[in-house]
Amino acid sequence: MAQCDCGATAGPLGVCADYYNTILAEEQLDPEMYRWHAVVVCVYLLQHPSRGHERHLDGQFRWLQFYLDRGIDAVLRLREHQVARNNHRSRAGYDMAPLEPYAPLPAGGPPARFRTSFCELPYGDGGFVLDGHAAYGERMRALAEATEEAWKRLGPGS
Ligand SMILES: [Zn+2]
């Protein structure tokens, strides 16, 4: 059986990239599902850092902790705030202050394995939202928790 570079065994749709791309396509048509977009992107890149940019990983790790601490509504509010700030005063840039209390990305990653991965997500009639948005959200939270836990096991950040 094929293995993903995050250490997970491929599922019926393939490796995590296949699951990720299918989620990105589905959420474009489903505003309720799109609420977890930022979480999906952060989890995917923190589980597969070679697909992203190393300099963004620390910020993504802090976003993930912010989400687990404060919930999805707080994530959506902070992103709106940041986008508005960035649009109105381009020099102001993103307001990173809300993310500063969170742990920096530990060195020595990525972790060899995560407790759960994208290619373990159930997929059925209705796509990834086969049993409703609340259940989908719970699965995104479980993925985020597994990602935070594996990175934090590497040790404190620098
Ligand atoms: Zn993977």
Side-chain angles (χ1 to χ4, degrees), residues 79-140:
R79 286 190 77 86
E80 269 175 35
H81 163 70
Q82 289 194 330
V83 168
R85 186 181 153 114
N86 211 31
N87 286 347
H88 296 155
R89 270 174 285 171
S90 54
R91 284 182 184 199
Y94 289 112
D95 178 11
M96 300 307 282
L99 301 178
E100 269 164 21
Y102 296 99
L105 188 77
R113 267 240 65 168
F114 298 88
R115 190 157 38 82
T116 182
S117 308
F118 279 99
C119 57
E120 289 163 3
L121 287 172
Y123 186 82
D125 199 8
F128 284 101
V129 188
L130 63 168
D131 49 1
H133 290 96
Y136 174 76
E138 278 309 306
R139 286 193 285 273
M140 293 306 109

Side-chain angles (χ1 to χ4, degrees), residues 4-8 15-17 44 47-48 117-119:
C4 186
D5 54 16
C6 69
V15 292
C16 294
Y44 181 73
Q47 290 199 355
H48 310 84
S117 308
F118 279 99
C119 57

